Every structure is written in C-alpha cells, then in structure tokens.
Amino acid sequence: MNLFSKTPPSRDVQRERRDWVLDQQRWKHQRDIERGYRIKWGYVAIAYLVEFMVIGASLAGAWLFAGYYSDGDDRAFYFMLLAPLVYAAVELCRVPLGILARTQRSWFVKGLAIIGIVFAAGVTTKSVSQLGEMMFHPRLMDAAKAKTALKDAQADRDSIDTRIAAANARVEQYTNELEQIEKRSAENASQLAGLPAQRCERVYGTNSRGMRYSNLKCVTDPRTATLNAAVAKAGTDRSAIVKELEEARKARGLLDRGAADRKVADAEQAYRNSVNRSQLHSFTAMVYGVDPIDVTDAQVHAFLRIFVFVPALCAAFASTILALSAVSVRKTFMDEDDLGAAVDPEATPYLLASIADGVRQEMALAQPRPVTRDASVIPLERRTAPVVPPPPPPANTSGNAPTGVTA
C-alpha cells in the first residue's frame, strides 16, 4: 500500500464543511447588519503592524539617544527612557480610537475619540520627528564642524597682515633695544678703559706693640665700580633681549600668507566634502537653486522642518486613516424604518389600480384553454391561419353546364 496516496474526501464531508462555512458567513453577515457596521480585520492588522513598527523605531531611537547623551551615567540613562515608554503606550491607542470614531453612534463619544486621535498623533509626530532629526544629525554636525574650521582659517588669513606687521614691529623693537644695549655697553667699556690705573705706594708706620711695619697701599678710581656694574647689567640685559629677539623672529617666520591661503583652501575642500555627504544640504540647494556650499543655516533648518515634521505627520495619521477606512458603516433596519413605512393617502388610488391590473393579468392567465375535437389542447399563444373561402364558380349565361361538370 502506498503511504503517500491520499484518499479523496467524502462528498458528505465536503458538503458539511461548505455548509458550515456558509452558516458562518450568514451569521457574520447578520451580525454586521444588526450592529450596523463591518470591520475589515485585514486592514486593522496592517494598521497595527505600522503602529508597532513606529513604536519599535521610536523606542530604539530613544535607547540610542539616551546612550549617547547620558555620558555613561546609568541613572540618567534610565531616566531618559521613561518618557518614551509612556509615549509608546499613547501611540498604541490611535488605532482603537480610530475604530471607535467610526463605530460609536454617539456624537459625543465620536468627538472624544477624534480628540484622542489628535493627541496621540501629536505624540507620534514628536517621536518620529526626533528620529528624523537623529537621521540628519551626524551629517549636519560634520558640516557644522567643517564650516567652523573654514571660518577660522578665513579669519586667520584675513588677520595675517595685521599679525605680520605686529611681529615685524616686535622684531624691530627688540633689535633697537639690543642696539641700544650694545651701544651703552660699548660706552661703559670705553669709559672704564679711560680711567687711570691704580696708584700704589708704600706706607711705613709703628703698630701698637711698638713694632715698625711697611705695607703697599693701592688706591682705585671710585668710578671703576660703577662702570663695572653698568657693564655687567648691560651684559645681562643683552642676553634677555637676544632671547626675546630670537622668539620674535621665530614667530614671524611662522606667519606665511601662502600657508594661510593653503589652509583656507584645505578647509574649504573639507567643508565641501561634508556638505556633499549631507543629503539635507543637497535638497536645500536644489530647492533654493544655489551651490550646496552657499546655503545658509537658516535655509537648512527651514528645509529641515519640512523634511522632518511633514513625514512625521504622515506617519502619525497613516495607520489611523487605515483603521478609519477599515470600518464599513451601513444603516440598520431601525434607521431605514422598513417596518414602519407609511403610505401617502394621495397615492392610494394609483396603488390600488396597479394591484387591480395585476389581478386581471393573473385571472386572464388562469382561464381554461379550449379543447379540440380530438381532445388535444390548443395553446393559447399559437395563432391559427385564417380560413379563406373558395372562389365562386363563373356564371353560365347559356344555361349549359360547365365543361367537366355533369348535371
């Protein structure tokens, strides 16, 4: 026996299944008629799927946002996740509120449901707009940093002449001071060289013990000590000025207009690359008809509001509109007033006349059919050919019988 062979199902079983399905359909149809509306649950499932995708993306974005801005503080991280959880719960109410707005018969309840939809859509708009801003944030930050570097390079290039003049003045000042110190030191040295030499003479005398002594006494010019101190100070000042002059010359060597121009060109190229990687700058430049590097921050943020809030509003109301469209509302028998239909008295004669015509037609169709000699029934709808009498014989004026006819 083949295990994979399938025995065809019994016709009775199939008939019972079909009858069961038909009974379920009749019951659902009758229930929808009594309730006055019908819900297409497939559309509702799609609306809930969209809602869960929005909620999941919002919670994931809130998790990443909290991890990025909490700076490693666990308490701050969990604090930043409390509000998104509440927002997710509020967003989950939009689809049921949309169904209630269509199925409720009280206009007061409908109004409350619509207000709840608007509030929940506002929460969803906030969450989705935050996701949109987070999508554009990295590129905007790169472009902002590159623009700041470009502005610094341009400012550095614009002030290069002033700084070069200041550095030249500082070098010239230290050079003049060094020349003055050299001159003063040379003067002090020449004056020191022009002083007379020491005068030495032998001094004789007797000490307190009565002993005779003989010493050599040298006398120095009193201006020598002053001039030596001035020469030493000039040397110290010279060393300090030489050090300052070297630093000033080194700082002046770093000030190069060509290097400043190259730095500005590199910063401008880096900013252009950052702008080209920013989709928002490209769209803004396309709308305003300018080069992406020439768009202003005001233009970018104006277009950012459109690029973020409009899709957020569409995402907020998309699933709600789908839930609203998933409900088919019809009038019930109470609304249609089928049982209590009233007839206008003026239309009574026309109604009775139509009824009488119908009765006459039925009576005419119910008349007995004629019976032929052979007892066969002749259908009323069959039309018999009319009987044409034979033509009369020609008249004979002679009184003789016609040819072929015997008397």
Side-chain angles (χ1 to χ4, degrees):
M1 181 178 179
N2 190 4
L3 298 177
F4 297 97
S5 63
K6 295 183 179 180
T7 304
S10 174
R11 293 184 178 273
D12 296 334
V13 176
Q14 291 182 349
R15 190 177 296 109
E16 290 179 359
R17 291 178 180 175
R18 186 172 61 252
D19 293 339
W20 174 256
V21 172
L22 293 176
D23 290 340
Q24 283 186 335
Q25 291 179 356
R26 295 190 195 96
W27 175 78
K28 290 181 180 179
H29 183 67
Q30 186 64 28
R31 181 196 60 184
D32 296 338
I33 292 176
E34 293 176 355
R35 291 191 306 184
Y37 62 86
R38 180 182 180 185
I39 299 176
K40 299 177 182 179
W41 293 107
Y43 295 157
V44 175
I46 296 175
Y48 271 113
L49 178 61
V50 174
E51 194 67 28
F52 283 125
M53 291 179 64
V54 172
I55 292 174
S58 299
L59 291 178
W63 183 279
L64 296 176
F65 187 85
Y68 184 80
Y69 289 101
S70 61
D71 297 330
D73 189 355
D74 294 337
R75 180 176 296 179
F77 175 80
Y78 291 111
F79 278 162
M80 297 175 69
L81 290 179
L82 295 178
L85 291 175
V86 178
Y87 295 158
V90 174
E91 292 173 7
L92 193 60
C93 299
R94 285 191 297 111
V95 174
L97 286 173
I99 297 175
L100 288 176
R102 290 297 306 275
T103 58
Q104 289 294 324
R105 306 179 67 84
S106 173
W107 285 102
F108 177 73
V109 179
K110 285 180 180 288
L112 292 179
I114 293 174
I115 293 174
I117 290 172
V118 173
F119 289 164
V123 173
T124 306
T125 302
K126 181 265 174 190
S127 301
V128 178
S129 61
Q130 183 177 358
L131 294 178
E133 195 276 335
M134 291 172 64
M135 176 179 64
F136 294 109
H137 184 75
R139 296 301 183 188
L140 290 177
M141 290 300 298
D142 291 341
K145 292 179 180 178
K147 188 173 183 179
T148 302
L150 175 60
K151 288 183 177 180
D152 293 340
Q154 291 175 347
D156 184 72
R157 183 185 61 182
D158 294 339
S159 63
I160 189 69
D161 293 334
T162 303
R163 289 186 288 119
I164 288 176
N168 290 334
R170 191 178 300 111
V171 170
E172 184 178 0
Q173 176 185 357
Y174 291 150
T175 303
N176 293 333
E177 290 181 1
L178 181 62
E179 290 177 356
Q180 292 177 3
I181 291 173
E182 293 284 354
K183 183 177 179 181
R184 188 171 65 250
S185 178
E187 291 177 356
N188 293 331
S190 62
Q191 291 179 5
L192 183 62
L195 293 178
Q198 290 180 345
R199 293 177 300 167
C200 298
E201 59 182 6
R202 185 165 295 278
V203 178
Y204 299 95
T206 303
N207 57 13
S208 59
R209 296 179 182 179
M211 298 179 60
R212 302 272 307 172
Y213 63 87
S214 175
N215 294 327
L216 185 64
K217 182 180 179 181
C218 295
V219 179
T220 305
D221 193 334
R223 294 176 296 176
T224 303
T226 304
L227 291 175
N228 286 332
V231 170
K233 185 177 182 303
T236 304
D237 293 341
R238 182 179 180 281
S239 299
I241 291 298
V242 168
K243 184 177 180 180
E244 294 290 341
L245 181 60
E246 291 179 355
E247 293 180 355
R249 288 175 177 174
K250 184 178 180 181
R252 173 61 185 84
L254 297 177
L255 298 177
D256 185 9
R257 174 173 288 278
D261 293 336
R262 289 191 298 271
K263 185 177 179 181
V264 171
D266 294 340
E268 186 174 354
Q269 184 62 36
Y271 177 57
R272 183 175 292 276
N273 293 334
S274 300
V275 167
N276 291 332
R277 288 194 300 268
S278 176
Q279 185 183 16
L280 191 61
H281 282 78
S282 300
F283 274 100
T284 305
M286 180 179 63
V287 171
Y288 288 97
V290 296
D291 188 35
I293 200 172
D294 294 331
V295 296
T296 62
D297 293 337
Q299 293 174 345
V300 171
H301 286 86
F303 200 75
L304 179 64
R305 287 194 292 269
I306 300 174
F307 234 52
V308 169
F309 284 107
V310 172
L313 287 173
C314 295
F317 284 101
S319 59
T320 305
I321 294 174
L322 184 59
L324 291 172
S325 303
V327 179
S328 300
V329 180
R330 68 180 299 276
K331 291 183 179 181
T332 62
F333 65 92
M334 292 183 295
D335 296 328
E336 295 174 355
D337 199 13
D338 293 338
L339 299 180
V343 179
D344 192 355
E346 296 181 357
T348 303
Y350 301 98
L351 181 60
L352 294 178
S354 62
I355 294 174
D357 292 340
V359 171
R360 292 192 192 98
Q361 293 178 2
E362 291 181 0
M363 292 177 64
L365 294 176
Q367 290 180 357
R369 298 178 180 179
V371 181
T372 59
R373 295 179 181 179
D374 56 356
S376 61
V377 179
I378 299 176
L380 295 177
E381 64 271 14
R382 179 185 297 177
R383 295 182 180 180
T384 59
V387 179
V388 180
N396 188 2
T397 57
S398 62
N400 297 327
T403 304
V405 176
T406 57

